[in-house]
């Protein structure tokens, strides 16, 4: 078993039922990055905060220092001689991820002009490319704007992952990988979502970056 996943299940034995699905979700996202794709993520309320939290763990160093590739470092030194070392020593490699909740001007404009239930679907329409991955987070699995976004993602041939609770709802039925945590109260579902996505982010970091 993956050591990060083993640690998760040791700390949270109730998540043993999610082991296979967590590993499947990791595989989908890992394969996306191997294809040079990106991850689109969305949710509402606490799940919106989780989406942005995940982006923060993927787009910069989480537990490891993600050193800039030597070739890029040399190009920067040739381009920005005066402050090249500052840039090279500060920047870290990222795994491309976008939280669809973060674009307030676009989302409010689309909500005002069209329909607020489609704010995430519109961004999947614009950002999504065949072979990218989409992660929809909803404690019930039935958040309409997340469901609509996943429907567009599947139509555009993105790989899809759902992170839910209760019975998984509509998202779990549609997704290529569905992680349904064993809880029914919203706050308890969210409490289990966090260690799961932290573990997936650690697994991804170990997959793509050396110490």
């Amino acid at each position: 078993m993956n050591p990060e996943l083993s640690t998760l299940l040791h700390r949270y034995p109730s998540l043993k039922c999610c082991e296979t699905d967590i590993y499947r979700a990791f595989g989908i996202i890992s394969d996306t990055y191997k294809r040079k794709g990106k991850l689109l993520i969305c949710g509402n309320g606490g799940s919106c905060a989780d989406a942005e939290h995940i982006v923060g763990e993927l787009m910069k160093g989480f537990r490891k220092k993600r050193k800039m590739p030597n070739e890029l470092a040399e190009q920067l030194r040739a381009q920005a001689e005066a402050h090249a070392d500052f840039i090279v020593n500060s920047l870290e490699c990222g795994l491309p991820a976008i939280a669809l909740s973060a674009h307030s001007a676009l989302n409010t404009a689309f909500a005002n002009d069209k329909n607020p239930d489609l704010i995430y679907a519109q961004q999947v329409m614009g950002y999504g490319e065949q072979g990218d991955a989409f992660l929809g987070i909803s404690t019930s699995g039935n958040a309409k704007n997340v469901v609509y976004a996943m429907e567009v993602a599947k139509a555009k041939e993105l790989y899809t992952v759902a992170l839910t609770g209760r019975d998984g709802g509509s998202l779990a039925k549609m997704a290529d990988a569905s992680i349904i945590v064993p809880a029914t109260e919203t706050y308890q579902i969210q409490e289990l979502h966090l260690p799961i996505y932290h573990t997936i982010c650690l697994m991804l970091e170990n997959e793509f970056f050396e110490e």
Side-chain angles (χ1 to χ4, degrees), residues 2 9 18 30 33 89 157 179 184 186 195:
N2 182 282
L9 300 182
C18 300
S30 176
Y33 286 137
N89 294 329
E157 299 185 36
I179 303 170
T184 56
T186 296

Side-chain angles (χ1 to χ4, degrees), residues 60-78:
K60 58 174 288 298
F62 184 5
R63 194 166 61 186
K64 294 182 176 182
K65 294 181 179 179
R66 304 181 187 177
K67 185 179 178 182
M68 181 183 295
N70 290 333
E71 182 179 357
L72 178 57
E74 291 308 312
Q75 289 174 339
L76 269 166
R77 289 191 171 97

Side-chain angles (χ1 to χ4, degrees), residues 41-55:
I41 318 172
C42 66
N44 302 302
S47 298
C48 166
D50 287 333
E52 297 197 19
H53 189 162
I54 294 168
V55 169

Side-chain angles (χ1 to χ4, degrees), residues 172-210:
K173 294 181 177 68
M174 287 192 291
D176 298 311
S178 301
I179 303 170
I180 307 170
V181 301
T184 56
E185 290 285 345
T186 296
Y187 75 94
Q188 293 175 344
I189 295 168
Q190 291 171 337
E191 286 173 356
L192 293 174
H193 280 180
L194 188 148
I196 288 173
Y197 66 69
H198 266 173
T199 296
I200 292 173
C201 289
L202 286 169
M203 292 166 69
L204 290 166
E205 187 171 65
N206 290 338
E207 181 79 6
F208 290 96
F209 302 102
E210 298 179 356

Side-chain angles (χ1 to χ4, degrees), residues 122-204:
Q122 175 62 32
Q123 291 191 67
V124 174
M125 182 73 178
Y127 286 126
E129 300 288 346
Q130 183 179 6
D132 286 346
F134 171 84
L135 169 58
I137 309 174
S138 168
T139 57
S140 68
N142 292 316
K144 287 193 295 184
N145 54 359
V146 182
V147 169
Y148 293 151
M150 184 173 286
E151 289 175 338
V152 175
K154 292 188 75 66
K156 295 199 72 177
E157 299 185 36
L158 278 68
Y159 294 92
T160 54
V161 178
L163 183 56
T164 71
R166 300 174 191 164
D167 65 357
S170 298
L171 289 176
K173 294 181 177 68
M174 287 192 291
D176 298 311
S178 301
I179 303 170
I180 307 170
V181 301
T184 56
E185 290 285 345
T186 296
Y187 75 94
Q188 293 175 344
I189 295 168
Q190 291 171 337
E191 286 173 356
L192 293 174
H193 280 180
L194 188 148
I196 288 173
Y197 66 69
H198 266 173
T199 296
I200 292 173
C201 289
L202 286 169
M203 292 166 69
L204 290 166

